């Protein structure tokens, strides 16, 4: 278990392309806010002004050539700024942070997906996070083909979505493997066609976690 550095609760949402995490985490944010909780919703890449520009380069500017190391460093630059400017201050205030994607995405996409040296990935990541880890990671699992179809990747996908199906299979396998290795941090939610049922499962996972961990920070 990672050392607890702050008194807030840090919850991340992960999954392969088209898993629907952003829709559910936003809805959860709305519900938690109206229940009077101190909660922030944010996302990577792009959770800061710098991050929005980095996101544009990483995902939208398909004409810019980007090597693997440059790609890794851009995701981590986004993260370093995001942790310093948004996530850590909110956690230090004792708030709940809901974040679409965090470092588990880097391990899955750049580490396993691209096959980069995992020691290097972890070292750079640690510099960016300062050791901050998610308390709870909700892994929204979906079949690769279904997810890519939902994300519109076959027609107008961004740089990541346009990668080969085999890349996305590695990403999904990596997520499931990491979840298996760290059952205390991950909750796996199998995404179904029934959006209400999926939301209910996400809601229960997060509310249940908060209920069990209130005041322990
Ligand atoms: P999303 O906002 O739709 O989740 O898109 C973010 C994309 O960036 C998605 O394809 C996953 C990818 N990504 C990485 O490859 N590495 C990372 O560290 C992060 C945060 C995202």
């Amino acid at each position: 278990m990672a050392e607890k550095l702050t008194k807030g609760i840090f919850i991340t949402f992960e999954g392969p392309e088209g898993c629907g995490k952003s829709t559910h985490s936003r809805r959860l944010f709305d519900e938690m806010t109206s229940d009077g909780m101190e909660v922030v919703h944010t996302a990577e890449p792009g959770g800061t002004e710098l991050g929005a520009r980095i996101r544009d380069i990483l995902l939208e500017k398909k004409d810019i050539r980007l090597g693997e190391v440059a790609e890794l460093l851009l995701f981590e630059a986004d993260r370093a700024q995001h942790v310093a400017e948004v996530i850590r201050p909110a956690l230090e205030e004792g708030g709940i942070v809901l974040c679409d994607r965090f470092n588990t995405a880097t391990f899955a996409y750049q580490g396993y997906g691209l096959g980069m040296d995992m020691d290097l990935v972890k070292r750079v990541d640690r510099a960016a996070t300062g050791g901050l880890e998610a308390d709870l990671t909700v892994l929204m699992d979906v079949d690769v083909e279904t997810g890519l179809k939902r994300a519109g990747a076959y027609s107008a996908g961004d740089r990541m979505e346009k990668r080969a199906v085999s890349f996305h299979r590695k990403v999904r396998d990596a997520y499931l493997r990491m979840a298996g290795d760290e059952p205390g941090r991950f909750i796996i939610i199998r995404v179904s066609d029934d959006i209400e049922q999926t939301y209910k499962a996400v809601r229960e996972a997060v509310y249940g976690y908060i209920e069990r961990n209130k005041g322990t920070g």
Side-chain angles (χ1 to χ4, degrees), residues 17 21 44-45 55 59 71 75 79 101-102 105-106 109-110 158 160-161:
E17 304 300 323
K21 63 186 168 19
E44 290 191 358
R55 183 182 177 95
L59 300 174
E71 177 178 313
F75 277 114
R79 181 161 305 132
R101 299 202 189 277
F102 192 62
T106 311
Y109 280 78
Q110 283 67 48
D158 64 29
M160 292 294 154
E161 290 164 353

Side-chain angles (χ1 to χ4, degrees), residues 54 57-58 64-79 106 109-111 113-125 128 159-160 163 167:
I54 293 176
I57 294 169
L58 276 166
I64 295 181
R65 284 172 62 190
L66 200 57
E68 290 178 1
V69 176
E71 177 178 313
L72 169 70
L73 294 176
L74 284 171
F75 277 114
E76 295 295 358
D78 168 75
R79 181 161 305 132
T106 311
Y109 280 78
Q110 283 67 48
L114 293 179
M116 292 188 77
D117 173 358
M118 201 50 110
D119 284 343
L120 170 73
V121 172
K122 293 214 160 156
R123 275 209 312 278
V124 178
D125 182 68
R159 186 195 297 271
M160 292 294 154
R163 284 190 176 152
F167 170 84

Side-chain angles (χ1 to χ4, degrees), residues 26 30 34-35 38-39 42 48 57-58 61 87 95 111 115 123 134-136 138 146 166 173 185 203:
R26 272 178 203 288
D30 289 342
S34 59
D35 281 346
E38 206 50 59
V39 55
T42 186
T48 61
I57 294 169
L58 276 166
K61 297 271 187 284
I87 302 174
R123 275 209 312 278
D135 298 306
L136 172 71
V138 179
T146 312
S166 57
D173 291 349
R185 169 165 72 97
R203 186 195 180 285

